[in-house]
PDB file of all heavy atoms in Angstrom:
ATOM      1  N   PRO A 858      74.301 -13.637   7.733  1.00  0.00           N
ATOM      2  CA  PRO A 858      73.546 -14.738   8.349  1.00  0.00           C
ATOM      3  C   PRO A 858      73.839 -16.039   7.602  1.00  0.00           C
ATOM      4  O   PRO A 858      73.897 -16.058   6.373  1.00  0.00           O
ATOM      5  CB  PRO A 858      72.078 -14.318   8.184  1.00  0.00           C
ATOM      6  CG  PRO A 858      72.111 -12.865   7.821  1.00  0.00           C
ATOM      7  CD  PRO A 858      73.408 -12.655   7.102  1.00  0.00           C
ATOM      8  N   MET A 859      74.002 -17.123   8.358  1.00  0.00           N
ATOM      9  CA  MET A 859      74.323 -18.411   7.750  1.00  0.00           C
ATOM     10  C   MET A 859      73.472 -19.510   8.364  1.00  0.00           C
ATOM     11  O   MET A 859      73.338 -19.578   9.589  1.00  0.00           O
ATOM     12  CB  MET A 859      75.802 -18.768   7.954  1.00  0.00           C
ATOM     13  CG  MET A 859      76.787 -17.841   7.280  1.00  0.00           C
ATOM     14  SD  MET A 859      78.490 -18.380   7.575  1.00  0.00           S
ATOM     15  CE  MET A 859      79.398 -17.187   6.581  1.00  0.00           C
ATOM     16  N   TYR A 860      72.925 -20.360   7.506  1.00  0.00           N
ATOM     17  CA  TYR A 860      72.203 -21.541   7.972  1.00  0.00           C
ATOM     18  C   TYR A 860      72.481 -22.690   7.016  1.00  0.00           C
ATOM     19  O   TYR A 860      72.083 -22.646   5.854  1.00  0.00           O
ATOM     20  CB  TYR A 860      70.694 -21.264   8.052  1.00  0.00           C
ATOM     21  CG  TYR A 860      69.896 -22.475   8.482  1.00  0.00           C
ATOM     22  CD1 TYR A 860      70.057 -23.018   9.756  1.00  0.00           C
ATOM     23  CD2 TYR A 860      69.014 -23.091   7.613  1.00  0.00           C
ATOM     24  CE1 TYR A 860      69.351 -24.132  10.154  1.00  0.00           C
ATOM     25  CE2 TYR A 860      68.298 -24.212   7.991  1.00  0.00           C
ATOM     26  CZ  TYR A 860      68.468 -24.730   9.273  1.00  0.00           C
ATOM     27  OH  TYR A 860      67.762 -25.842   9.659  1.00  0.00           O
ATOM     28  N   ASN A 861      73.213 -23.683   7.509  1.00  0.00           N
ATOM     29  CA  ASN A 861      73.583 -24.850   6.697  1.00  0.00           C
ATOM     30  C   ASN A 861      74.244 -24.433   5.393  1.00  0.00           C
ATOM     31  O   ASN A 861      73.839 -24.836   4.297  1.00  0.00           O
ATOM     32  CB  ASN A 861      72.353 -25.714   6.416  1.00  0.00           C
ATOM     33  CG  ASN A 861      71.826 -26.399   7.665  1.00  0.00           C
ATOM     34  OD1 ASN A 861      72.492 -26.453   8.699  1.00  0.00           O
ATOM     35  ND2 ASN A 861      70.616 -26.919   7.590  1.00  0.00           N
ATOM     36  N   GLU A 862      75.307 -23.633   5.508  1.00  0.00           N
ATOM     37  CA  GLU A 862      75.985 -23.099   4.326  1.00  0.00           C
ATOM     38  C   GLU A 862      77.397 -23.658   4.177  1.00  0.00           C
ATOM     39  O   GLU A 862      78.272 -23.013   3.606  1.00  0.00           O
ATOM     40  CB  GLU A 862      76.052 -21.569   4.411  1.00  0.00           C
ATOM     41  CG  GLU A 862      74.709 -20.868   4.359  1.00  0.00           C
ATOM     42  CD  GLU A 862      74.080 -20.878   2.975  1.00  0.00           C
ATOM     43  OE1 GLU A 862      74.630 -21.551   2.080  1.00  0.00           O
ATOM     44  OE2 GLU A 862      73.036 -20.227   2.789  1.00  0.00           O
ATOM     45  N   GLU A 863      77.647 -24.873   4.671  1.00  0.00           N
ATOM     46  CA  GLU A 863      79.001 -25.411   4.619  1.00  0.00           C
ATOM     47  C   GLU A 863      79.536 -25.525   3.186  1.00  0.00           C
ATOM     48  O   GLU A 863      80.737 -25.363   2.951  1.00  0.00           O
ATOM     49  CB  GLU A 863      79.049 -26.778   5.298  1.00  0.00           C
ATOM     50  CG  GLU A 863      78.182 -27.839   4.642  1.00  0.00           C
ATOM     51  CD  GLU A 863      78.328 -29.203   5.298  1.00  0.00           C
ATOM     52  OE1 GLU A 863      79.125 -29.301   6.243  1.00  0.00           O
ATOM     53  OE2 GLU A 863      77.652 -30.154   4.867  1.00  0.00           O
ATOM     54  N   ALA A 864      78.659 -25.770   2.227  1.00  0.00           N
ATOM     55  CA  ALA A 864      79.127 -25.956   0.855  1.00  0.00           C
ATOM     56  C   ALA A 864      79.619 -24.663   0.224  1.00  0.00           C
ATOM     57  O   ALA A 864      80.470 -24.683  -0.675  1.00  0.00           O
ATOM     58  CB  ALA A 864      77.999 -26.554   0.005  1.00  0.00           C
ATOM     59  N   VAL A 865      79.112 -23.525   0.693  1.00  0.00           N
ATOM     60  CA  VAL A 865      79.431 -22.258   0.033  1.00  0.00           C
ATOM     61  C   VAL A 865      80.518 -21.467   0.764  1.00  0.00           C
ATOM     62  O   VAL A 865      81.081 -20.522   0.198  1.00  0.00           O
ATOM     63  CB  VAL A 865      78.155 -21.397  -0.093  1.00  0.00           C
ATOM     64  CG1 VAL A 865      77.833 -20.670   1.204  1.00  0.00           C
ATOM     65  CG2 VAL A 865      78.275 -20.389  -1.236  1.00  0.00           C
ATOM     66  N   ILE A 866      80.848 -21.831   1.983  1.00  0.00           N
ATOM     67  CA  ILE A 866      81.782 -21.027   2.783  1.00  0.00           C
ATOM     68  C   ILE A 866      83.154 -20.888   2.133  1.00  0.00           C
ATOM     69  O   ILE A 866      83.703 -19.776   2.067  1.00  0.00           O
ATOM     70  CB  ILE A 866      81.886 -21.593   4.212  1.00  0.00           C
ATOM     71  CG1 ILE A 866      80.598 -21.279   4.982  1.00  0.00           C
ATOM     72  CG2 ILE A 866      83.091 -21.004   4.954  1.00  0.00           C
ATOM     73  CD1 ILE A 866      80.554 -21.854   6.379  1.00  0.00           C
ATOM     74  N   PRO A 867      83.786 -21.956   1.629  1.00  0.00           N
ATOM     75  CA  PRO A 867      85.098 -21.760   0.985  1.00  0.00           C
ATOM     76  C   PRO A 867      85.052 -20.784  -0.179  1.00  0.00           C
ATOM     77  O   PRO A 867      85.948 -19.948  -0.344  1.00  0.00           O
ATOM     78  CB  PRO A 867      85.472 -23.177   0.518  1.00  0.00           C
ATOM     79  CG  PRO A 867      84.701 -24.090   1.409  1.00  0.00           C
ATOM     80  CD  PRO A 867      83.415 -23.391   1.681  1.00  0.00           C
ATOM     81  N   VAL A 868      83.995 -20.868  -0.989  1.00  0.00           N
ATOM     82  CA  VAL A 868      83.860 -19.951  -2.127  1.00  0.00           C
ATOM     83  C   VAL A 868      83.615 -18.530  -1.633  1.00  0.00           C
ATOM     84  O   VAL A 868      84.151 -17.559  -2.173  1.00  0.00           O
ATOM     85  CB  VAL A 868      82.718 -20.407  -3.055  1.00  0.00           C
ATOM     86  CG1 VAL A 868      82.670 -19.537  -4.309  1.00  0.00           C
ATOM     87  CG2 VAL A 868      82.864 -21.869  -3.413  1.00  0.00           C
ATOM     88  N   LEU A 869      82.799 -18.395  -0.596  1.00  0.00           N
ATOM     89  CA  LEU A 869      82.493 -17.078  -0.037  1.00  0.00           C
ATOM     90  C   LEU A 869      83.749 -16.401   0.485  1.00  0.00           C
ATOM     91  O   LEU A 869      84.015 -15.222   0.191  1.00  0.00           O
ATOM     92  CB  LEU A 869      81.462 -17.228   1.085  1.00  0.00           C
ATOM     93  CG  LEU A 869      81.180 -15.983   1.924  1.00  0.00           C
ATOM     94  CD1 LEU A 869      80.500 -14.905   1.092  1.00  0.00           C
ATOM     95  CD2 LEU A 869      80.319 -16.340   3.144  1.00  0.00           C
ATOM     96  N   VAL A 870      84.547 -17.124   1.250  1.00  0.00           N
ATOM     97  CA  VAL A 870      85.773 -16.551   1.817  1.00  0.00           C
ATOM     98  C   VAL A 870      86.748 -16.164   0.712  1.00  0.00           C
ATOM     99  O   VAL A 870      87.350 -15.082   0.735  1.00  0.00           O
ATOM    100  CB  VAL A 870      86.414 -17.541   2.802  1.00  0.00           C
ATOM    101  CG1 VAL A 870      87.792 -17.046   3.240  1.00  0.00           C
ATOM    102  CG2 VAL A 870      85.517 -17.743   4.015  1.00  0.00           C
ATOM    103  N   ALA A 871      86.902 -17.047  -0.277  1.00  0.00           N
ATOM    104  CA  ALA A 871      87.843 -16.779  -1.363  1.00  0.00           C
ATOM    105  C   ALA A 871      87.448 -15.555  -2.182  1.00  0.00           C
ATOM    106  O   ALA A 871      88.314 -14.873  -2.743  1.00  0.00           O
ATOM    107  CB  ALA A 871      87.942 -18.008  -2.274  1.00  0.00           C
ATOM    108  N   ARG A 872      86.181 -15.246  -2.215  1.00  0.00           N
ATOM    109  CA  ARG A 872      85.720 -14.108  -3.023  1.00  0.00           C
ATOM    110  C   ARG A 872      85.563 -12.839  -2.199  1.00  0.00           C
ATOM    111  O   ARG A 872      85.822 -11.738  -2.702  1.00  0.00           O
ATOM    112  CB  ARG A 872      84.393 -14.470  -3.675  1.00  0.00           C
ATOM    113  CG  ARG A 872      83.908 -13.449  -4.681  1.00  0.00           C
ATOM    114  CD  ARG A 872      82.775 -13.997  -5.490  1.00  0.00           C
ATOM    115  NE  ARG A 872      82.136 -12.973  -6.309  1.00  0.00           N
ATOM    116  CZ  ARG A 872      81.049 -13.158  -7.033  1.00  0.00           C
ATOM    117  NH1 ARG A 872      80.484 -14.357  -7.061  1.00  0.00           N
ATOM    118  NH2 ARG A 872      80.541 -12.177  -7.746  1.00  0.00           N
ATOM    119  N   LEU A 873      85.120 -12.973  -0.944  1.00  0.00           N
ATOM    120  CA  LEU A 873      84.850 -11.787  -0.125  1.00  0.00           C
ATOM    121  C   LEU A 873      86.122 -11.155   0.422  1.00  0.00           C
ATOM    122  O   LEU A 873      86.253  -9.925   0.444  1.00  0.00           O
ATOM    123  CB  LEU A 873      83.913 -12.167   1.020  1.00  0.00           C
ATOM    124  CG  LEU A 873      83.561 -11.063   2.020  1.00  0.00           C
ATOM    125  CD1 LEU A 873      82.817  -9.917   1.336  1.00  0.00           C
ATOM    126  CD2 LEU A 873      82.710 -11.624   3.166  1.00  0.00           C
ATOM    127  N   ARG A 874      87.071 -11.962   0.866  1.00  0.00           N
ATOM    128  CA  ARG A 874      88.250 -11.402   1.523  1.00  0.00           C
ATOM    129  C   ARG A 874      89.061 -10.466   0.623  1.00  0.00           C
ATOM    130  O   ARG A 874      89.442  -9.372   1.058  1.00  0.00           O
ATOM    131  CB  ARG A 874      89.136 -12.520   2.066  1.00  0.00           C
ATOM    132  CG  ARG A 874      90.314 -11.985   2.867  1.00  0.00           C
ATOM    133  CD  ARG A 874      91.102 -13.078   3.538  1.00  0.00           C
ATOM    134  NE  ARG A 874      92.164 -12.514   4.364  1.00  0.00           N
ATOM    135  CZ  ARG A 874      93.005 -13.243   5.089  1.00  0.00           C
ATOM    136  NH1 ARG A 874      92.903 -14.572   5.092  1.00  0.00           N
ATOM    137  NH2 ARG A 874      93.940 -12.655   5.813  1.00  0.00           N
ATOM    138  N   PRO A 875      89.347 -10.821  -0.640  1.00  0.00           N
ATOM    139  CA  PRO A 875      90.099  -9.876  -1.492  1.00  0.00           C
ATOM    140  C   PRO A 875      89.380  -8.546  -1.681  1.00  0.00           C
ATOM    141  O   PRO A 875      90.034  -7.489  -1.752  1.00  0.00           O
ATOM    142  CB  PRO A 875      90.232 -10.631  -2.819  1.00  0.00           C
ATOM    143  CG  PRO A 875      90.095 -12.067  -2.466  1.00  0.00           C
ATOM    144  CD  PRO A 875      89.125 -12.109  -1.335  1.00  0.00           C
ATOM    145  N   VAL A 876      88.053  -8.579  -1.746  1.00  0.00           N
ATOM    146  CA  VAL A 876      87.294  -7.336  -1.899  1.00  0.00           C
ATOM    147  C   VAL A 876      87.483  -6.443  -0.687  1.00  0.00           C
ATOM    148  O   VAL A 876      87.770  -5.246  -0.811  1.00  0.00           O
ATOM    149  CB  VAL A 876      85.794  -7.646  -2.110  1.00  0.00           C
ATOM    150  CG1 VAL A 876      84.973  -6.357  -2.076  1.00  0.00           C
ATOM    151  CG2 VAL A 876      85.580  -8.369  -3.426  1.00  0.00           C
ATOM    152  N   LEU A 877      87.341  -7.004   0.502  1.00  0.00           N
ATOM    153  CA  LEU A 877      87.454  -6.201   1.726  1.00  0.00           C
ATOM    154  C   LEU A 877      88.889  -5.746   1.976  1.00  0.00           C
ATOM    155  O   LEU A 877      89.115  -4.615   2.434  1.00  0.00           O
ATOM    156  CB  LEU A 877      86.926  -7.002   2.918  1.00  0.00           C
ATOM    157  CG  LEU A 877      85.443  -7.414   2.840  1.00  0.00           C
ATOM    158  CD1 LEU A 877      85.033  -8.203   4.083  1.00  0.00           C
ATOM    159  CD2 LEU A 877      84.548  -6.193   2.681  1.00  0.00           C
ATOM    160  N   ASP A 878      89.857  -6.599   1.673  1.00  0.00           N
ATOM    161  CA  ASP A 878      91.264  -6.199   1.862  1.00  0.00           C
ATOM    162  C   ASP A 878      91.639  -5.038   0.950  1.00  0.00           C
ATOM    163  O   ASP A 878      92.487  -4.203   1.303  1.00  0.00           O
ATOM    164  CB  ASP A 878      92.187  -7.391   1.582  1.00  0.00           C
ATOM    165  CG  ASP A 878      92.144  -8.434   2.693  1.00  0.00           C
ATOM    166  OD1 ASP A 878      91.672  -8.109   3.802  1.00  0.00           O
ATOM    167  OD2 ASP A 878      92.557  -9.577   2.437  1.00  0.00           O
ATOM    168  N   SER A 879      91.002  -4.967  -0.222  1.00  0.00           N
ATOM    169  CA  SER A 879      91.340  -3.914  -1.177  1.00  0.00           C
ATOM    170  C   SER A 879      90.724  -2.564  -0.818  1.00  0.00           C
ATOM    171  O   SER A 879      91.073  -1.548  -1.437  1.00  0.00           O
ATOM    172  CB  SER A 879      90.889  -4.320  -2.579  1.00  0.00           C
ATOM    173  OG  SER A 879      89.465  -4.351  -2.663  1.00  0.00           O
ATOM    174  N   LEU A 880      89.823  -2.539   0.163  1.00  0.00           N
ATOM    175  CA  LEU A 880      89.157  -1.286   0.520  1.00  0.00           C
ATOM    176  C   LEU A 880      90.055  -0.361   1.335  1.00  0.00           C
ATOM    177  O   LEU A 880      89.767   0.827   1.482  1.00  0.00           O
ATOM    178  CB  LEU A 880      87.870  -1.577   1.305  1.00  0.00           C
ATOM    179  CG  LEU A 880      86.770  -2.327   0.548  1.00  0.00           C
ATOM    180  CD1 LEU A 880      85.575  -2.584   1.467  1.00  0.00           C
ATOM    181  CD2 LEU A 880      86.323  -1.541  -0.673  1.00  0.00           C
ATOM    182  N   ASP A 881      91.115  -0.887   1.911  1.00  0.00           N
ATOM    183  CA  ASP A 881      92.055  -0.090   2.702  1.00  0.00           C
ATOM    184  C   ASP A 881      91.374   0.594   3.882  1.00  0.00           C
ATOM    185  O   ASP A 881      91.597   1.779   4.151  1.00  0.00           O
ATOM    186  CB  ASP A 881      92.762   0.946   1.808  1.00  0.00           C
ATOM    187  CG  ASP A 881      93.999   1.523   2.494  1.00  0.00           C
ATOM    188  OD1 ASP A 881      94.570   0.824   3.351  1.00  0.00           O
ATOM    189  OD2 ASP A 881      94.354   2.675   2.195  1.00  0.00           O
ATOM    190  N   VAL A 882      90.486  -0.156   4.570  1.00  0.00           N
ATOM    191  CA  VAL A 882      89.831   0.334   5.781  1.00  0.00           C
ATOM    192  C   VAL A 882      89.848  -0.773   6.818  1.00  0.00           C
ATOM    193  O   VAL A 882      89.982  -1.960   6.490  1.00  0.00           O
ATOM    194  CB  VAL A 882      88.365   0.764   5.511  1.00  0.00           C
ATOM    195  CG1 VAL A 882      88.303   1.912   4.527  1.00  0.00           C
ATOM    196  CG2 VAL A 882      87.524  -0.413   5.033  1.00  0.00           C
ATOM    197  N   GLU A 883      89.716  -0.395   8.079  1.00  0.00           N
ATOM    198  CA  GLU A 883      89.568  -1.384   9.149  1.00  0.00           C
ATOM    199  C   GLU A 883      88.180  -2.013   9.026  1.00  0.00           C
ATOM    200  O   GLU A 883      87.181  -1.298   8.934  1.00  0.00           O
ATOM    201  CB  GLU A 883      89.729  -0.720  10.514  1.00  0.00           C
ATOM    202  CG  GLU A 883      91.132  -0.222  10.804  1.00  0.00           C
ATOM    203  CD  GLU A 883      92.114  -1.363  11.004  1.00  0.00           C
ATOM    204  OE1 GLU A 883      91.676  -2.442  11.463  1.00  0.00           O
ATOM    205  OE2 GLU A 883      93.301  -1.183  10.662  1.00  0.00           O
ATOM    206  N   TYR A 884      88.123  -3.340   9.004  1.00  0.00           N
ATOM    207  CA  TYR A 884      86.830  -3.990   8.822  1.00  0.00           C
ATOM    208  C   TYR A 884      86.731  -5.243   9.683  1.00  0.00           C
ATOM    209  O   TYR A 884      87.731  -5.758  10.197  1.00  0.00           O
ATOM    210  CB  TYR A 884      86.608  -4.340   7.352  1.00  0.00           C
ATOM    211  CG  TYR A 884      87.467  -5.474   6.828  1.00  0.00           C
ATOM    212  CD1 TYR A 884      87.055  -6.810   6.975  1.00  0.00           C
ATOM    213  CD2 TYR A 884      88.671  -5.231   6.185  1.00  0.00           C
ATOM    214  CE1 TYR A 884      87.828  -7.856   6.505  1.00  0.00           C
ATOM    215  CE2 TYR A 884      89.443  -6.269   5.707  1.00  0.00           C
ATOM    216  CZ  TYR A 884      89.026  -7.581   5.866  1.00  0.00           C
ATOM    217  OH  TYR A 884      89.798  -8.607   5.403  1.00  0.00           O
ATOM    218  N   GLU A 885      85.522  -5.719   9.817  1.00  0.00           N
ATOM    219  CA  GLU A 885      85.250  -7.002  10.443  1.00  0.00           C
ATOM    220  C   GLU A 885      84.157  -7.711   9.642  1.00  0.00           C
ATOM    221  O   GLU A 885      83.320  -7.060   9.017  1.00  0.00           O
ATOM    222  CB  GLU A 885      84.782  -6.830  11.901  1.00  0.00           C
ATOM    223  CG  GLU A 885      83.444  -6.117  12.036  1.00  0.00           C
ATOM    224  CD  GLU A 885      82.901  -6.119  13.458  1.00  0.00           C
ATOM    225  OE1 GLU A 885      83.519  -6.738  14.344  1.00  0.00           O
ATOM    226  OE2 GLU A 885      81.832  -5.498  13.671  1.00  0.00           O
ATOM    227  N   VAL A 886      84.183  -9.027   9.658  1.00  0.00           N
ATOM    228  CA  VAL A 886      83.144  -9.832   9.025  1.00  0.00           C
ATOM    229  C   VAL A 886      82.438 -10.604  10.135  1.00  0.00           C
ATOM    230  O   VAL A 886      83.062 -11.409  10.827  1.00  0.00           O
ATOM    231  CB  VAL A 886      83.722 -10.798   7.982  1.00  0.00           C
ATOM    232  CG1 VAL A 886      82.612 -11.670   7.391  1.00  0.00           C
ATOM    233  CG2 VAL A 886      84.430 -10.025   6.875  1.00  0.00           C
ATOM    234  N   VAL A 887      81.153 -10.323  10.321  1.00  0.00           N
ATOM    235  CA  VAL A 887      80.378 -10.941  11.395  1.00  0.00           C
ATOM    236  C   VAL A 887      79.527 -12.048  10.790  1.00  0.00           C
ATOM    237  O   VAL A 887      78.474 -11.794  10.204  1.00  0.00           O
ATOM    238  CB  VAL A 887      79.492  -9.902  12.116  1.00  0.00           C
ATOM    239  CG1 VAL A 887      78.768 -10.544  13.297  1.00  0.00           C
ATOM    240  CG2 VAL A 887      80.330  -8.716  12.578  1.00  0.00           C
ATOM    241  N   ALA A 888      79.985 -13.284  10.918  1.00  0.00           N
ATOM    242  CA  ALA A 888      79.225 -14.443  10.450  1.00  0.00           C
ATOM    243  C   ALA A 888      78.323 -14.920  11.574  1.00  0.00           C
ATOM    244  O   ALA A 888      78.799 -15.215  12.676  1.00  0.00           O
ATOM    245  CB  ALA A 888      80.168 -15.558  10.013  1.00  0.00           C
ATOM    246  N   VAL A 889      77.027 -14.985  11.321  1.00  0.00           N
ATOM    247  CA  VAL A 889      76.057 -15.396  12.337  1.00  0.00           C
ATOM    248  C   VAL A 889      75.535 -16.777  11.976  1.00  0.00           C
ATOM    249  O   VAL A 889      74.796 -16.938  10.999  1.00  0.00           O
ATOM    250  CB  VAL A 889      74.889 -14.396  12.448  1.00  0.00           C
ATOM    251  CG1 VAL A 889      73.944 -14.808  13.576  1.00  0.00           C
ATOM    252  CG2 VAL A 889      75.408 -12.984  12.671  1.00  0.00           C
ATOM    253  N   ASP A 890      75.946 -17.782  12.742  1.00  0.00           N
ATOM    254  CA  ASP A 890      75.477 -19.139  12.507  1.00  0.00           C
ATOM    255  C   ASP A 890      74.112 -19.314  13.159  1.00  0.00           C
ATOM    256  O   ASP A 890      73.983 -19.307  14.379  1.00  0.00           O
ATOM    257  CB  ASP A 890      76.472 -20.143  13.082  1.00  0.00           C
ATOM    258  CG  ASP A 890      75.976 -21.573  12.948  1.00  0.00           C
ATOM    259  OD1 ASP A 890      75.470 -21.906  11.874  1.00  0.00           O
ATOM    260  OD2 ASP A 890      76.075 -22.335  13.924  1.00  0.00           O
ATOM    261  N   ASP A 891      73.098 -19.486  12.326  1.00  0.00           N
ATOM    262  CA  ASP A 891      71.713 -19.538  12.799  1.00  0.00           C
ATOM    263  C   ASP A 891      71.307 -20.971  13.166  1.00  0.00           C
ATOM    264  O   ASP A 891      70.371 -21.527  12.614  1.00  0.00           O
ATOM    265  CB  ASP A 891      70.785 -18.981  11.712  1.00  0.00           C
ATOM    266  CG  ASP A 891      69.342 -18.838  12.183  1.00  0.00           C
ATOM    267  OD1 ASP A 891      69.117 -18.784  13.396  1.00  0.00           O
ATOM    268  OD2 ASP A 891      68.448 -18.778  11.317  1.00  0.00           O
ATOM    269  N   GLY A 892      72.048 -21.558  14.098  1.00  0.00           N
ATOM    270  CA  GLY A 892      71.721 -22.904  14.549  1.00  0.00           C
ATOM    271  C   GLY A 892      71.863 -23.953  13.469  1.00  0.00           C
ATOM    272  O   GLY A 892      71.031 -24.866  13.373  1.00  0.00           O
ATOM    273  N   SER A 893      72.920 -23.877  12.675  1.00  0.00           N
ATOM    274  CA  SER A 893      73.098 -24.812  11.567  1.00  0.00           C
ATOM    275  C   SER A 893      73.246 -26.245  12.071  1.00  0.00           C
ATOM    276  O   SER A 893      73.842 -26.493  13.134  1.00  0.00           O
ATOM    277  CB  SER A 893      74.328 -24.439  10.740  1.00  0.00           C
ATOM    278  OG  SER A 893      74.168 -23.165  10.146  1.00  0.00           O
ATOM    279  N   ALA A 894      72.736 -27.188  11.273  1.00  0.00           N
ATOM    280  CA  ALA A 894      72.843 -28.604  11.619  1.00  0.00           C
ATOM    281  C   ALA A 894      74.039 -29.261  10.935  1.00  0.00           C
ATOM    282  O   ALA A 894      74.316 -30.433  11.185  1.00  0.00           O
ATOM    283  CB  ALA A 894      71.556 -29.331  11.231  1.00  0.00           C
ATOM    284  N   ASP A 895      74.747 -28.523  10.078  1.00  0.00           N
ATOM    285  CA  ASP A 895      75.899 -29.089   9.383  1.00  0.00           C
ATOM    286  C   ASP A 895      77.189 -28.530   9.980  1.00  0.00           C
ATOM    287  O   ASP A 895      77.229 -28.132  11.139  1.00  0.00           O
ATOM    288  CB  ASP A 895      75.797 -28.824   7.879  1.00  0.00           C
ATOM    289  CG  ASP A 895      75.813 -27.343   7.543  1.00  0.00           C
ATOM    290  OD1 ASP A 895      75.949 -26.513   8.474  1.00  0.00           O
ATOM    291  OD2 ASP A 895      75.692 -26.995   6.347  1.00  0.00           O
ATOM    292  N   ASP A 896      78.250 -28.486   9.181  1.00  0.00           N
ATOM    293  CA  ASP A 896      79.581 -28.091   9.670  1.00  0.00           C
ATOM    294  C   ASP A 896      79.870 -26.609   9.461  1.00  0.00           C
ATOM    295  O   ASP A 896      81.033 -26.204   9.467  1.00  0.00           O
ATOM    296  CB  ASP A 896      80.645 -28.922   8.948  1.00  0.00           C
ATOM    297  CG  ASP A 896      81.662 -29.503   9.922  1.00  0.00           C
ATOM    298  OD1 ASP A 896      81.364 -29.558  11.123  1.00  0.00           O
ATOM    299  OD2 ASP A 896      82.752 -29.901   9.465  1.00  0.00           O
ATOM    300  N   THR A 897      78.843 -25.793   9.305  1.00  0.00           N
ATOM    301  CA  THR A 897      79.037 -24.368   9.027  1.00  0.00           C
ATOM    302  C   THR A 897      79.907 -23.690  10.071  1.00  0.00           C
ATOM    303  O   THR A 897      80.894 -23.007   9.746  1.00  0.00           O
ATOM    304  CB  THR A 897      77.676 -23.654   8.937  1.00  0.00           C
ATOM    305  OG1 THR A 897      76.944 -24.155   7.816  1.00  0.00           O
ATOM    306  CG2 THR A 897      77.861 -22.153   8.767  1.00  0.00           C
ATOM    307  N   ALA A 898      79.581 -23.843  11.353  1.00  0.00           N
ATOM    308  CA  ALA A 898      80.315 -23.151  12.420  1.00  0.00           C
ATOM    309  C   ALA A 898      81.774 -23.583  12.472  1.00  0.00           C
ATOM    310  O   ALA A 898      82.679 -22.748  12.626  1.00  0.00           O
ATOM    311  CB  ALA A 898      79.636 -23.399  13.767  1.00  0.00           C
ATOM    312  N   ASN A 899      82.040 -24.884  12.323  1.00  0.00           N
ATOM    313  CA  ASN A 899      83.426 -25.361  12.363  1.00  0.00           C
ATOM    314  C   ASN A 899      84.234 -24.837  11.192  1.00  0.00           C
ATOM    315  O   ASN A 899      85.417 -24.510  11.327  1.00  0.00           O
ATOM    316  CB  ASN A 899      83.448 -26.884  12.378  1.00  0.00           C
ATOM    317  CG  ASN A 899      83.093 -27.455  13.743  1.00  0.00           C
ATOM    318  OD1 ASN A 899      83.282 -26.804  14.763  1.00  0.00           O
ATOM    319  ND2 ASN A 899      82.558 -28.663  13.742  1.00  0.00           N
TER     320      ASN A 899
END
């Protein structure tokens, strides 16, 4: 879940993606934009 999290998204992606790629399983990341007023969705 995300609400006005534009400041943390680059750090989140840089840290989360290597963890999931290393699991060697098919995965998806479901980001839910909870009506953010900033640039979170973009």
Side-chain angles (χ1 to χ4, degrees):
M859 296 181 176
Y860 178 65
N861 291 346
E862 295 287 7
E863 62 176 359
V865 81
I866 287 177
V868 186
L869 171 67
V870 172
R872 188 168 170 186
L873 178 62
R874 185 173 184 179
V876 172
L877 299 180
D878 287 343
S879 68
L880 296 178
D881 196 26
V882 298
E883 292 290 331
Y884 71 86
E885 65 172 356
V886 177
V887 184
V889 184
D890 176 44
D891 187 21
S893 297
D895 63 2
D896 228 18
T897 295
N899 284 334

